[in-house]
Amino acid sequence: MDCASGDPQVLTNRLYERAGLYGIEFSREKSKIMINSETHTSTDVTMNCEKL
C-alpha cells in the first residue's frame, strides 16, 4: 500500500513499527489521530492493540 493513500490505520502501524526500531515509545493517553476530510469520515485507529 502506498503511503499517499492515507489509510490512518496503516500509517499508524507503520509509524509505531518504525519508531520501535529506534527505541521510541508512544503513550496512548497522549497520542491523538487527526483526519483531514471533507466527507466527515470517522474511524477507530489502534496503536499496539489500544484504541487512540
Side-chain angles (χ1 to χ4, degrees):
M1 175 175 258
D2 183 15
C3 278
S5 69
D7 180 14
Q9 185 63 63
V10 171
L11 296 174
T12 302
N13 290 344
R14 247 185 228 162
L15 173 65
Y16 182 78
E17 292 167 5
R18 298 275 172 94
L21 295 174
Y22 295 96
I24 299 171
E25 296 181 7
F26 290 92
S27 167
R28 183 183 59 84
E29 292 83 19
K30 295 179 182 179
S31 299
K32 295 182 182 181
I33 299 294
M34 297 178 69
I35 299 173
N36 186 9
S37 172
E38 295 179 3
T39 61
H40 304 289
T41 303
S42 71
T43 186
D44 291 331
V45 177
T46 61
M47 182 182 288
N48 194 24
C49 300
E50 297 182 29
K51 184 177 174 183
L52 296 178

